[in-house]
Coordinates of all heavy atoms in Angstrom, one line a residue:
K1101 N 96.2 90.9 134.1 CA 96.9 92.2 134.0 C 97.8 92.5 135.1 O 98.9 93.2 135.0 CB 95.9 93.4 133.8 CG 95.0 93.2 132.6 CD 95.7 93.1 131.3 CE 94.6 93.2 130.2 NZ 94.9 92.3 129.1
R1102 N 97.5 92.1 136.3 CA 98.3 92.3 137.5 C 99.7 91.6 137.3 O 100.7 92.3 137.5 CB 97.6 91.8 138.7 CG 98.4 92.0 140.0 CD 97.6 91.6 141.2 NE 98.4 91.4 142.4 CZ 99.0 90.3 142.7 NH1 98.8 89.2 142.0 NH2 99.8 90.3 143.8
W1103 N 99.6 90.4 137.0 CA 100.9 89.7 136.8 C 101.7 90.2 135.6 O 102.9 90.2 135.6 CB 100.7 88.2 136.7 CG 100.5 87.5 138.0 CD1 99.3 87.0 138.6 CD2 101.5 87.4 139.1 NE1 99.5 86.6 139.8 CE2 100.9 86.8 140.2 CE3 102.8 87.7 139.1 CZ2 101.6 86.5 141.3 CZ3 103.5 87.5 140.3 CH2 102.9 86.9 141.4
L1104 N 101.0 90.6 134.6 CA 101.7 91.2 133.4 C 102.4 92.5 133.9 O 103.6 92.7 133.5 CB 100.7 91.5 132.3 CG 101.3 91.9 131.0 CD1 102.3 90.9 130.4 CD2 100.2 92.3 130.0
A1105 N 101.7 93.3 134.7 CA 102.4 94.5 135.2 C 103.6 94.2 136.1 O 104.6 94.9 136.0 CB 101.3 95.4 135.9
I1106 N 103.4 93.2 136.9 CA 104.6 92.8 137.8 C 105.7 92.3 136.9 O 106.9 92.7 137.1 CB 104.1 91.7 138.7 CG1 103.2 92.3 139.8 CG2 105.3 91.0 139.4 CD1 102.5 91.2 140.6
G1107 N 105.4 91.5 135.9 CA 106.5 91.1 135.0 C 107.2 92.2 134.3 O 108.4 92.2 134.1
R1108 N 106.4 93.1 133.8 CA 106.9 94.3 133.1 C 107.9 95.1 134.0 O 109.0 95.5 133.6 CB 105.8 95.2 132.5 CG 106.3 96.4 131.8 CD 105.2 97.3 131.3 NE 105.6 98.3 130.4 CZ 105.5 98.2 129.1 NH1 104.9 97.2 128.5 NH2 106.0 99.1 128.3
T1109 N 107.4 95.3 135.2 CA 108.2 96.1 136.2 C 109.5 95.4 136.4 O 110.6 96.0 136.5 CB 107.4 96.3 137.5 OG1 106.3 97.1 137.2 CG2 108.3 97.0 138.5
E1110 N 109.5 94.1 136.6 CA 110.7 93.3 136.9 C 111.7 93.3 135.7 O 112.9 93.4 135.9 CB 110.4 91.9 137.3 CG 109.7 91.8 138.7 CD 110.5 92.4 139.8 OE1 111.7 92.2 139.9 OE2 109.9 93.0 140.7
I1111 N 111.1 93.3 134.5 CA 111.9 93.3 133.3 C 112.6 94.7 133.2 O 113.8 94.8 133.0 CB 111.1 93.0 132.0 CG1 110.8 91.5 132.0 CG2 111.9 93.4 130.8 CD1 109.8 91.1 131.0
E1112 N 111.8 95.8 133.4 CA 112.4 97.1 133.4 C 113.5 97.3 134.5 O 114.5 97.9 134.2 CB 111.3 98.1 133.6 CG 110.4 98.3 132.4 CD 109.1 99.1 132.7 OE1 108.7 99.3 133.9 OE2 108.5 99.6 131.7
R1113 N 113.2 96.7 135.6 CA 114.2 96.8 136.7 C 115.5 96.0 136.4 O 116.6 96.5 136.7 CB 113.6 96.3 138.0 CG 114.5 96.4 139.2 CD 113.9 95.9 140.5 NE 112.5 96.5 140.7 CZ 111.7 96.2 141.7 NH1 112.1 95.3 142.6 NH2 110.6 96.7 141.8
G1114 N 115.3 94.9 135.7 CA 116.5 94.1 135.3 C 117.3 94.8 134.3 O 118.6 94.9 134.4
F1115 N 116.7 95.4 133.3 CA 117.5 96.2 132.3 C 118.2 97.4 133.0 O 119.3 97.7 132.7 CB 116.6 96.6 131.2 CG 116.5 95.6 130.1 CD1 115.3 94.8 130.0 CD2 117.5 95.4 129.2 CE1 115.2 93.8 129.0 CE2 117.4 94.4 128.2 CZ 116.2 93.6 128.1
M1116 N 117.5 98.0 133.9 CA 118.1 99.2 134.6 C 119.3 98.7 135.4 O 120.4 99.4 135.4 CB 117.1 99.8 135.6 CG 117.7 101.0 136.3 SD 116.5 101.8 137.5 CE 116.2 100.5 138.6
A1117 N 119.2 97.6 136.1 CA 120.3 97.1 136.8 C 121.5 96.7 136.0 O 122.7 97.0 136.3 CB 119.9 95.8 137.6

Side-chain angles (χ1 to χ4, degrees):
K1101 303 298 189 219
R1102 179 176 164 268
W1103 279 109
L1104 187 61
I1106 290 169
R1108 182 184 190 100
T1109 298
E1110 293 300 321
I1111 288 168
E1112 290 170 338
R1113 186 180 307 180
F1115 275 102
M1116 179 180 66

